[in-house]
Amino acid sequence: MAQQDNIKRLLRLTQEGNRGLLEEEVSRCESVRTAIVQGHFGRSGDTAVHYAARHGQLDVLKYLIEELGADVELVNGDYKRALHEAASMGHRECLRYLILRGAKIDSLKKADWTPLMMACTRRNLEVIKDLIDSGANVTLKNKDGWNCFQIACREGNPEIIQYLLKVSPGIWDVESKVKRTPLHTAAMHGCSEVVDILLERCGYGSDAKDSCGVTPFMDAVQNGHVGIAKLLLKKHRANISAKDALGAQSLHRAAVTAQDKAIQFLVTELGVNVNERATDLNLTALHYAAKEGHRGTIETLLTLGADVHAKDSKGRSALHMACAGQHTKCIRQLVDAGLTDSPDNTGRLASQLLKKPEALKLLEGVTDIK
């Protein structure tokens, strides 16, 4: 127990960068010296070298490697090296030192992430430059099929995007394993400056679809990024009527994610029919909103003229969807909007409401449920 407490103290000194006290503690006991050089700690199995690199403690890092002989290529439980840590946290001095000491520039941690990919999760251009200047391969992909450019597009720093395109002009032409492009990623995450660069400098096809049939325009709309949707319309001639693999359009996907402003944009500015049907099961946006229990979206759709009585290919109204999801407040909302149900469907409605008897009362007088 005493030695375990001592190790914890040493790791704390490592994180704090207190080299003087660390040297004193290590010099007192050979077993402690061995543990601090070779030991793996915590759930992730980090070594002292990992701790020093993660916290940017260059002086301690030098002591561990040069004085104690720690290996720069030590891995933790996720096969992460110290170089991954320095790159991820943006500690440039530690990163350059590790490279100088022979750290493998394209080492892979779990899920095949390189230090360069880790660096691209941050907005530190200088660290990214150091890695590429040292020979990092910009074209490598992780297990999901993402390269460093795709990751940078998610983070949305235009300077980094411009730099990566400069050093590797064709880097943009990549798809993940589910066929998502960097343009999908930037649109989804609301990175408008990056979307603008991609549309200007890269050759993405209009309305490219991922494996679910989703286009960048759909990504922008369903995440509420109306400005990016407008940009895609202006510069990319995006198809507002494109359908995903289930036949849903942008309107339907916006209803699922409760993006009311995007719905208003589609209907009032672009003229999308608020009662447009998804080809799968003939659902309307109101069906989708009721299924998810989005009261605000239901109100938005009704205000825009959604047909509260519309039925899908199975004869189900939005009320059925609200009942199936046990969304009591939405049931009340739809009933107040004048939605009634035919007697032949009341048995199904009743069975769906068994978990919430109070919701059944909302239908009394509207259907023949007693």
Side-chain angles (χ1 to χ4, degrees):
M1 179 62 72
Q3 183 170 346
Q4 185 177 5
D5 290 340
N6 198 21
I7 291 296
K8 288 182 179 179
R9 172 175 163 77
L10 292 178
L11 292 176
R12 186 171 66 253
L13 294 174
T14 299
Q15 294 176 64
E16 294 171 352
N18 195 330
R19 175 171 174 169
L21 283 179
L22 182 63
E23 288 187 29
E24 288 183 20
E25 294 287 344
V26 170
S27 65
R28 293 174 184 171
C29 180
E30 187 61 31
S31 63
V32 169
R33 177 190 177 99
T34 301
I36 204 65
V37 173
Q38 301 177 2
H40 295 265
F41 313 101
R43 292 182 179 180
S44 59
D46 289 327
T47 68
V49 173
H50 286 85
Y51 282 102
R54 182 184 306 143
H55 292 274
Q57 303 299 351
L58 178 61
D59 201 30
V60 171
L61 192 60
K62 287 181 175 180
Y63 168 66
L64 292 170
I65 294 171
E66 296 176 20
E67 300 297 328
L68 300 185
D71 186 353
V72 297
E73 291 299 313
L74 285 172
V75 299
N76 68 6
D78 291 330
Y79 301 101
K80 185 185 291 186
R81 276 83 164 173
L83 189 62
H84 285 97
E85 296 285 3
S88 174
M89 301 307 294
H91 297 309
R92 190 182 184 193
E93 289 186 348
C94 289
L95 178 129
R96 296 176 77 172
Y97 172 73
L98 288 166
I99 293 172
L100 183 65
R101 297 295 301 188
K104 294 179 182 178
I105 201 72
D106 287 323
S107 56
L108 302 180
K109 79 171 192 70
K110 189 175 181 180
D112 295 340
W113 280 67
T114 66
L116 178 58
M117 293 176 193
M118 300 294 290
C120 286
T121 65
R122 303 284 177 168
R123 296 192 171 199
N124 193 323
L125 178 57
E126 296 306 314
V127 167
I128 292 171
K129 286 182 176 180
D130 285 339
L131 286 164
I132 292 177
D133 288 344
S134 299
N137 187 342
V138 299
T139 66
L140 292 179
K141 297 180 180 181
N142 64 20
K143 74 173 185 65
D144 295 316
W146 285 43
N147 66 8
C148 63
F149 187 73
Q150 185 113 336
I151 295 165
C153 284
R154 182 186 65 189
E155 301 307 315
N157 186 309
E159 287 185 87
I160 291 174
I161 298 305
Q162 295 279 25
Y163 170 73
L164 290 174
L165 285 170
K166 179 180 178 181
V167 298
S168 181
I171 196 173
W172 61 270
D173 192 11
V174 63
E175 289 183 347
S176 70
K177 288 188 175 180
V178 292
K179 300 185 68 177
R180 291 183 62 77
T181 67
L183 184 59
H184 281 91
T185 301
M188 176 182 180
H189 289 276
C191 305
S192 57
E193 290 183 274
V194 171
V195 169
D196 199 19
I197 293 170
L198 298 181
L199 294 179
E200 289 288 340
R201 296 190 55 180
C202 308
Y204 296 110
S206 181
D207 301 309
K209 294 185 176 183
D210 66 13
S211 59
C212 292
V214 176
T215 67
F217 181 80
M218 290 180 184
D219 266 325
V221 168
Q222 71 184 2
N223 287 284
H225 306 308
V226 174
I228 290 178
K230 291 180 178 179
L231 192 59
L232 289 165
L233 286 170
K234 179 180 179 181
K235 293 190 174 183
H236 213 220
R237 297 183 180 180
N239 181 4
I240 63 175
S241 300
K243 298 177 181 179
D244 67 15
L246 296 178
Q249 298 182 20
S250 296
L251 175 68
H252 306 113
R253 298 185 70 92
V256 171
T257 56
Q259 295 296 341
D260 296 354
K261 290 183 179 180
I263 290 171
Q264 291 174 335
F265 164 68
L266 290 170
V267 176
T268 61
E269 295 189 39
L270 301 185
V272 173
N273 180 4
V274 72
N275 292 308
E276 189 69 52
R277 302 282 185 151
T279 54
D280 183 59
L281 298 179
N282 214 30
L283 298 169
T284 67
L286 192 61
H287 283 91
Y288 285 105
K291 181 181 179 181
E292 300 297 328
H294 299 318
R295 291 181 65 202
T297 303
I298 290 173
E299 183 63 32
T300 295
L301 290 166
L302 291 174
T303 301
L304 292 171
D307 181 4
V308 75
H309 301 289
K311 301 288 182 67
D312 68 4
S313 58
K314 293 185 177 181
R316 299 172 298 181
S317 66
L319 184 59
H320 284 82
M321 298 299 186
C323 290
Q326 309 293 315
H327 303 304
T328 306
K329 292 180 180 179
C330 292
I331 295 169
R332 174 78 272 174
Q333 185 180 23
L334 292 166
V335 169
D336 288 345
L339 198 160
T340 60
D341 200 64
S342 58
D344 60 332
N345 284 326
T346 56
R348 180 164 55 180
L349 279 170
S351 66
Q352 290 169 342
L353 288 168
L354 289 177
K355 293 182 180 180
K356 286 193 176 182
E358 70 273 16
L360 255 168
K361 295 179 181 179
L362 296 176
L363 300 178
E364 292 178 0
V366 177
T367 70
D368 65 350
I369 293 178
K370 303 297 183 184

